[in-house]
Amino acid sequence: MKPQASGAEVAAVCARIESLGFRAHAMPGAQRTAIGITGNPGPLDPELFEMLPGVAEAIRVTKPYKLVSREVKSEDSLIRVRAIDEGAAEDVVVGGEELVVMAGPCSVESREQCFAAAGAVKASGARVFRAGAFKPRTSPYSFQGLGEEGLKILAEVRRRYGLLIVTETIDPENVELVERYADILQVGARNMQNYSLLRRVGRSARPVLLKRGMSATLEEFLMAAEYILSEGNYNVILCERGVRTFADHTRNTLDLSVIPAVKTLSHLPIIADPSHGTGKRDKVTPLARGAVATGADGLMVEVHADPDRALSDGFQTLNPAQFEALMGQVEAIAAVLGRRTARGAARV
Ligand code: PEP
Ligand code: MN
C-alpha cells in the first residue's frame, strides 16, 4: 500500500482478496502496510489489485515462502513484545535499534535459582528472561523440567524483576498452558518442523521465537516461519542456534552467515543463541560478539548463578560475571552498528 493509504483502503483491499476466496494478510510497517495473499492456486493478475485506491504496487512473489519474504514486505518487521501481566515489564521491540538480549538458565529448577539468575541478567542489561519449564531432552532419563510449577515461577520473575518471559512450548496441546504464563512462545530446534505445533502457535496472540532446526537449510527455516505467518501470527522472531556439522570441537556450529542471508530474504528479525550454538562455555562470548557484528537483532544466552550445578546445559552456561563481560563487549560492538542494548539504562 502507499504510505498514505488509509485504514479503510487497507480494509477494502483485504475485502477484495477475501471476496475472491483467498486469504489476506495485512502486515503494518513503520512506513506502509504490506498485504500478502495466500490460498490462491496459481499466479494472479496484478491488475486485479493495482486499480484499487491506496495500492502502490502488486508484486508476484517468486519465492516458495511468501509472507516471510522481503518481496511481500520490504521494510524490516518490528516485533513488539508486551508483558501479558500488564505493567509487569516494559515493552521490548525486536528488530529495531535495540539489540535485545534474552538470558537465563537452560531450565527452571527452583524459585531461588531463577531469582538469582534473573537479578544478575537484569543488572547486566537483559530485557527478557529465558528458562525452560518443558524440556525436550535428547535422553528420556534426563531432567524434563518442572512443567506448570516452573511456569508459575517464571510469572513471579516477570513481576519481581520486570523481565519479559520467553519459554518453550513443546506440542500443540501444551500451547494453551504456556500462553497463560509466557510473553514469547519458544519453538525449539527439535520442533522446527512440527507442523501442527507451528500452526497452533500461528493462531496464538503471543510473539513466537522460532529456533532453526539443527540440520535445516535456510529455505526450510523460512518455510517453518511461513507456517506460523500463514495462520495469521506475523510476530515471529527467528533464532540461529547452530547446526550439525563434522566439527567436533563444538556441539554445534553457529552459522553466522545465515544472519545476513535472512536479512536479504526476509523482513523478520533474527537473533543468535551462542550457548546452544557452540555448546562450550568458553566459545559463547566470542560467538556472541560475532553474531552482533554480523547483524543479529539480539542474543539468547544461558546464564546460571552456579553453572556447574545446573540441571541441564551447565557446560555451555555462563556465570553472572562472564555474562556481564559479554554484555560490555557486545554493547561496544552494537554501538559501531548504531545499536544499543538496555545495559546503559540498567547501570544507572
Ligand atoms: C533451549 O533454548 O533451551 C533449547 C532447548 O534450545 P534448542 O531448541 O535450540 O536446542
Ligand atoms: Mn539449554
Side-chain angles (χ1 to χ4, degrees):
M1 301 297 286
K2 292 176 181 157
Q4 67 277 16
S6 68
E9 287 170 339
V10 170
V13 173
C14 291
R16 177 91 184 98
I17 293 166
E18 308 274 346
S19 77
L20 294 167
F22 312 136
R23 184 157 180 183
H25 302 265
M27 295 183 275
Q31 303 299 322
R32 56 190 206 153
T33 295
I35 305 175
I37 303 174
T38 58
N40 47 309
L44 299 174
D45 184 353
E47 282 185 13
L48 280 170
F49 310 101
E50 270 167 349
M51 319 308 273
L52 301 174
V55 172
E57 53 185 340
I59 300 159
R60 276 200 188 127
V61 178
T62 57
K63 297 285 192 298
Y65 40 85
K66 309 283 175 202
L67 301 173
V68 308
S69 78
R70 273 235 191 253
E71 289 176 286
V72 98
K73 182 169 185 275
S74 55
E75 287 178 284
D76 287 347
S77 281
L78 303 179
I79 311 299
R80 178 173 290 275
V81 185
R82 293 186 179 86
I84 59 165
D85 180 1
E86 224 183 283
E90 265 179 63
D91 290 7
V92 167
V93 175
V94 183
E97 192 191 322
E98 182 178 343
L99 182 89
V100 176
V101 179
M102 311 183 183
C106 181
S107 309
V108 179
E109 298 169 11
S110 68
R111 176 181 287 105
E112 295 66 38
Q113 169 249 13
C114 279
F115 282 8
V121 301
K122 168 94 180 180
S124 294
R127 296 269 260 147
V128 181
F129 188 73
R130 67 137 290 141
F134 294 93
K135 297 302 302 177
R137 302 302 300 282
T138 303
S139 163
Y141 309 116
S142 302
F143 176 60
Q144 304 285 312
L146 295 184
E148 185 168 8
E149 190 193 332
L151 296 175
K152 288 184 175 156
I153 292 171
L154 293 175
E156 285 185 58
V157 166
R158 174 172 45 225
R159 269 263 145 228
R160 191 171 172 134
Y161 295 94
L163 290 161
L164 294 160
I165 301 297
V166 58
T167 195
E168 184 161 354
T169 179
I170 50 172
D171 56 48
E173 296 71 42
N174 172 254
V175 174
E176 197 188 330
L177 176 63
V178 177
E179 276 175 336
R180 292 210 291 269
Y181 297 92
D183 305 306
I184 306 173
L185 303 177
Q186 177 170 325
V187 173
R190 288 158 193 78
N191 272 320
M192 191 204 81
Q193 287 179 315
N194 179 340
Y195 298 119
S196 50
L197 177 60
L198 297 175
R199 285 196 191 281
R200 176 61 186 83
V201 297
R203 292 191 293 273
S204 175
R206 309 265 178 278
V208 177
L209 181 80
L210 176 65
K211 297 189 106 182
R212 181 182 180 185
M214 53 194 84
S215 54
T217 63
L218 172 53
E219 187 167 303
E220 288 163 343
F221 190 18
L222 293 176
M223 285 302 239
E226 184 76 14
Y227 264 87
I228 303 172
L229 272 73
S230 74
E231 293 290 333
N233 187 350
Y234 312 118
N235 296 317
V236 174
I237 302 160
L238 302 171
C239 179
E240 162 59 27
R241 50 79 71 205
V243 290
R244 185 75 55 99
T245 67
F246 52 80
D248 57 6
H249 60 287
T250 50
R251 183 179 174 199
N252 292 296
T253 298
L254 190 70
D255 178 12
L256 293 181
S257 71
V258 90
I259 295 167
V262 160
K263 295 272 166 201
T264 303
L265 295 174
S266 177
H267 52 86
L268 295 176
I270 178 164
I271 70 166
D273 171 353
S275 304
H276 296 89
T278 62
K280 303 266 166 118
R281 191 179 297 159
D282 63 333
K283 312 279 188 301
V284 173
T285 299
L287 271 293
R289 295 194 300 257
V292 173
T294 43
D297 296 298
L299 296 171
M300 172 171 266
V301 183
E302 287 187 334
V303 180
H304 191 292
D306 188 356
D308 293 329
R309 293 191 181 203
L311 293 183
S312 55
D313 286 354
F315 38 84
Q316 65 189 33
T317 298
L318 302 186
N319 66 34
Q322 290 163 333
F323 180 64
E324 168 61 19
L326 175 153
M327 289 297 285
Q329 295 171 14
V330 152
E331 187 181 30
I333 294 171
V336 174
L337 299 167
R339 303 186 93 154
R340 60 190 164 76
T341 68
R343 186 161 173 271
R347 267 198 312 256
V348 288

